[in-house]
Amino acid sequence: MGRNPVTWLGSPAFPTAARTALADDQLRRNLKHATGLIRNKRAGVVAELPDWEQLRLSGEAIKDDVLAHLDTYLLQFEESVKARGGVVHWAADAAEANEIVVRLAREAGADEVVKIKSMATMEIGLNEALEADGITPIETDLAELIVQLGNDRPSHILVPAIHKNRTEIRDIFKATMPDTADLTDEPVELAAAARAFLRRKFLSAKVAVSGANFGVAETGSVVIVESEGNGRMCLTLPDTLISVMGIEKLVPTWQDLEVFLQLLPRSSTAERMNPYTSIWSGVTPGDGPQNFHLVLVDNGRTDTLASTVGRQALRCIRCSACLNVCPVYERTGGQAYGSVYPGPIGAILAPQLGGDMHDKHAASLPYASSLCGACFEVCPVRIDIPSVLVHLRSEAVAAKSSFSPEAIGMAAMAWVMAGPRRFHVAQRLATAGRLLARGGKIRKLPFSGSKWTDSRDLPAPAKESFSAWWKRTRG
């Protein structure tokens, strides 16, 4: 599976996928309705708190402290987990993390595992690794289940099936679930069908796999927040629990956790508090899972930490607020990014966790933004996403060969613009380019101009340049 499947295997370049999304009217309607609803609700619950900006500043300060002393907090966290009966595993990359989880599931005698919604397990491609070893992963979050049964890909951090409406969901359930021939698209019936399907899985599962929203260093506690209760079923019924956690998810103390349990629900689900907040510390004899394994995953995070500008992306608490205000995401959806992490946060996480700005797809993601700044305004931990995007764009340019078509083209333009005579000749040639235009747009240019027109139209040049007009009218 390579070092890191942060970007989807075989994913298309962003412009191609974006054009496909823009042509899907149903997807765009679904997105506009859902993101607009969440965005407006979030604004309402945030306005209730007079100290919201102080909470954001506190969240930023706590996360920056963790990143500055990550080595110390990680060792404290490990000791705290072990002291309470848990087993800690360290994974340098996706392949190592997957190997650990697959081995633990096999040792527990499982050929099927139930899973709590987890961005970290999607990041490392855990489902694919389990299936390759003959173990069936069952997503228990309703939206994740819809995506999985539909053989689809998630398109939103918080609501993975945001691009599906209820009629499409009914069709997926009827095609994949038993006893659903008469199923309608009423939400109550859809939820009941999913509940009946999952209940059988919960009662037979030997192993559950979770992610983690937070880890508390001083107590070794792992925290999961959710809205449905399916996660709690995974955390209590199976005998073995395996939690996969990015090393940046720590908070130092219980008091620090208080800040994030106010920031996260308002920013993500637009709720004052999460319906289910589950916290466990190691193993409790006779109650819940009797085997707890924590897999701490690096997978490019240490490399990201080394960047003074890019490291702030590691503050992210996966709330998805930036997606709900992004004008690009709202029109293209998450799948157009070809990345596990879509939207503005994905545009700065994927290139860094991928660890290689020579990766053509990952390097293109920072350009999937208008730099409007709305994402920074809503980020609960004040990640300056536009600044990181500009930083990563500069790194992508620096990584390119000086003999690339783009570099040669820019050098040629610099030479043309350096002299007025050359510039005026170029203007006259550009005016002649109107012969290629149709309806005021040039839709296809020869190489290397085709690199532009493959994904966007070029406005037709004016009939007359400004300098030519000035000379003609002002003498």
Side-chain angles (χ1 to χ4, degrees), residues 239-319:
D239 190 57
T240 297
L241 172 61
I242 306 168
S243 297
V244 180
M245 175 178 157
I247 58 174
E248 83 285 10
K249 289 297 190 70
L250 292 177
V251 296
T253 68
W254 272 98
Q255 187 172 2
D256 298 320
L257 183 62
E258 173 192 351
V259 173
F260 295 99
L261 292 183
Q262 294 181 77
L263 288 170
L264 181 56
R266 283 177 165 83
S267 297
S268 57
T269 55
E271 295 171 298
R272 297 174 182 87
M273 64 182 293
N274 292 99
Y276 297 90
T277 299
S278 299
I279 303 173
W280 65 98
S281 304
V283 174
T284 301
D287 185 17
Q290 295 304 289
N291 302 289
F292 171 54
H293 297 269
L294 177 66
V295 183
L296 293 171
V297 182
D298 186 324
N299 205 37
R301 286 161 174 78
T302 300
D303 293 337
T304 303
L305 193 63
S307 170
T308 55
V309 177
R311 68 188 301 175
Q312 60 184 294
L314 297 179
R315 292 185 207 143
C316 178
I317 58 175
R318 309 296 192 267
C319 71

Side-chain angles (χ1 to χ4, degrees), residues 145-419:
L145 179 66
I146 292 164
V147 169
Q148 183 181 42
L149 294 179
N151 195 28
D152 200 356
R153 296 184 306 183
S155 64
H156 193 277
I157 290 175
L158 175 67
V159 194
I162 197 171
H163 56 292
K164 297 292 187 185
N165 62 29
R166 66 188 194 181
T167 301
E168 293 170 311
I169 294 168
R170 178 206 60 194
D171 294 342
I172 291 171
F173 283 6
K174 290 179 70 172
T176 56
M177 289 182 180
D179 305 321
T180 54
D182 298 324
L183 187 66
T184 74
D185 64 359
E186 287 300 312
V188 171
E189 288 195 32
L190 295 174
R195 183 181 295 113
F197 176 82
L198 289 173
R199 189 57 55 94
R200 292 189 291 269
K201 303 297 182 182
F202 288 135
L203 294 174
S204 63
K206 297 179 180 179
V207 174
V209 176
S210 84
N213 289 104
F214 306 102
V216 183
E218 71 173 352
T219 61
S221 304
V222 182
V223 184
I224 288 285
V225 295
E226 53 159 335
S227 297
E228 299 171 8
N230 294 334
R232 187 157 293 182
M233 301 286 279
C234 293
L235 297 172
T236 53
L237 292 176
D239 190 57
T240 297
L241 172 61
I242 306 168
S243 297
V244 180
M245 175 178 157
I247 58 174
E248 83 285 10
K249 289 297 190 70
L250 292 177
V251 296
T253 68
W254 272 98
Q255 187 172 2
D256 298 320
L257 183 62
E258 173 192 351
V259 173
F260 295 99
L261 292 183
Q262 294 181 77
L263 288 170
L264 181 56
R266 283 177 165 83
S267 297
S268 57
T269 55
E271 295 171 298
R272 297 174 182 87
M273 64 182 293
N274 292 99
Y276 297 90
T277 299
S278 299
I279 303 173
W280 65 98
S281 304
V283 174
T284 301
D287 185 17
Q290 295 304 289
N291 302 289
F292 171 54
H293 297 269
L294 177 66
V295 183
L296 293 171
V297 182
D298 186 324
N299 205 37
R301 286 161 174 78
T302 300
D303 293 337
T304 303
L305 193 63
S307 170
T308 55
V309 177
R311 68 188 301 175
Q312 60 184 294
L314 297 179
R315 292 185 207 143
C316 178
I317 58 175
R318 309 296 192 267
C319 71
S320 77
C322 60
L323 278 70
N324 298 326
V325 299
C326 177
V328 177
Y329 174 86
E330 188 178 58
R331 287 158 177 78
T332 63
Q335 295 179 351
Y337 291 78
S339 168
V340 170
Y341 299 107
I345 189 61
I348 65 173
L349 270 177
Q352 296 191 95
L353 296 186
D356 184 2
M357 288 304 291
H358 292 275
D359 180 323
K360 183 177 179 180
H361 178 73
S364 74
L365 290 177
Y367 295 91
S369 170
S370 66
L371 299 179
C372 68
C375 48
F376 172 63
E377 295 299 323
V378 299
C379 177
V381 288
R382 291 174 47 84
I383 301 171
D384 190 352
I385 294 177
S387 293
V388 182
L389 289 168
V390 172
H391 170 72
L392 293 176
R393 289 181 186 187
S394 68
E395 286 195 344
V397 171
K400 291 181 179 178
S401 166
S402 57
F403 298 102
S404 68
E406 181 182 2
I408 293 171
M410 288 297 178
M413 288 185 66
W415 179 80
V416 168
M417 293 182 177

